[in-house]
Amino acid sequence: KQEVTQIPAALSVPEGENLVLNCSFTDSAIYNLQWFRQDPGKGLTSLLLIQSSQREQTSGRLNASLDKSSGRSTLYIAASQPGDSATYLCAVITGANNLFFGTGTRLTVIP
Amino acid sequence: DAGVIQSPRHEVTEMGQEVTLRCKPISGHDYLFWYRQTMMRGLELLIYFNNNVPIDDSGMPEDRFSAKMPNASFSTLKIQPSEPRDSAVYFCASSHPTGPQHFGDGTRLSIL
């Protein structure tokens, strides 16, 4: 069964710093990988979706990379802002359109 | 453009009662998913539908849980009878076949 791990579980950085969140998965036979943001009391907001044939996706200050062979993905956030404070989840999607989620990284950006 | 709409946002009920959670997916999305989120287990997929047909319900914890999708614009997740360990946040999501999943705001369920 696919297992998805996110490190670190929590991260606190000063405003303006660049940061990297890590995601690893055990089965490289994935269809794509999705990064989400979760704010308290809210549903998950999809940030970036990387197809299995792609190596990275960018949206604004966010850049996500995917290395299927090593079972790793990273989410890079440039010039962090207090509004980026949230829990970030990665999920891998199998060919059956099932999502396997990591446990998340709780990010706090300190003004 | 309206997103995925879930109701109620919060539900508090006593154990043994029937609980019905509702979801309206984004119009045109072929897939609908039900998830449960707890602190201990994170976010887990319970069941998903394709074109109103249940495809995989292997994540449904037990027979007390059932889900239906009578039409393309409505789905329900029912728990009968409810138990305290069912307390969690339940999310509904919808998507096109290969697109990102869009989530509702969730239903926070507390079983006393």
Side-chain angles (χ1 to χ4, degrees):
Chain A
K1 183 183 174 182
Q2 180 76 263
E3 292 185 3
V4 183
T5 305
Q6 289 187 246
I7 296 173
L11 181 64
S12 184
V13 299
E15 180 178 3
E17 202 164 281
N18 303 326
L19 59 101
V20 175
L21 308 181
N22 296 293
C23 174
S24 60
F25 46 95
T26 55
D27 187 348
S28 62
I30 66 171
Y31 189 74
N32 54 36
L33 183 145
Q34 192 171 3
W35 281 93
F36 293 88
R37 168 187 173 134
Q38 184 173 21
D39 294 284
K42 297 286 188 180
L44 301 184
T45 300
S46 179
L47 299 174
L48 290 163
L49 176 71
I50 311 177
Q51 303 287 347
S52 61
S53 58
Q54 297 173 322
R55 296 299 297 265
E56 66 178 330
Q57 283 284 336
T58 298
S59 176
R61 294 182 294 107
L62 305 179
N63 176 277
S65 68
L66 174 63
D67 184 344
K68 272 186 57 177
S69 60
S70 66
R72 295 178 188 275
S73 176
T74 62
L75 179 67
Y76 175 83
I77 303 176
S80 58
Q81 303 171 358
D84 295 332
S85 297
T87 296
Y88 290 81
L89 293 161
C90 75
V92 297
I93 297 95
T94 69
N97 209 14
N98 287 334
L99 257 67
F100 293 90
F101 280 90
T103 51
T105 294
R106 188 169 64 252
L107 173 66
T108 303
V109 181
I110 303 167
Chain B
D1 188 21
V4 175
I5 300 172
Q6 291 186 244
S7 65
R9 288 296 311 276
H10 303 274
E11 175 89 11
V12 181
T13 191
E14 294 185 346
M15 68 176 293
Q17 297 297 308
E18 178 178 292
V19 173
T20 299
L21 311 181
R22 298 173 175 80
C23 176
K24 177 178 168 57
I26 293 173
S27 178
H29 280 186
D30 299 323
Y31 283 83
L32 184 139
F33 306 81
W34 282 101
Y35 294 89
R36 178 173 67 176
Q37 183 180 28
T38 62
M39 291 296 292
M40 291 295 293
R41 301 172 69 90
L43 198 70
E44 302 171 288
L45 176 65
L46 300 178
I47 185 172
Y48 75 93
F49 296 82
N50 180 19
N51 292 321
N52 314 338
V53 177
I55 303 300
D56 183 357
D57 66 353
S58 59
M60 297 285 263
E62 43 196 282
D63 292 344
R64 297 183 296 106
F65 286 68
S66 62
K68 294 182 180 179
M69 193 166 184
N71 57 62
S73 60
F74 184 65
S75 177
T76 59
L77 178 67
K78 187 172 294 186
I79 308 172
Q80 168 62 22
S82 58
E83 297 183 3
R85 59 195 170 111
D86 301 331
S87 299
V89 181
Y90 290 81
F91 288 101
C92 175
S94 70
S95 75
H96 289 301
T98 57
Q101 295 188 15
H102 298 262
F103 282 74
D105 287 340
T107 294
R108 189 172 300 275
L109 177 64
S110 297
I111 308 297
L112 307 177

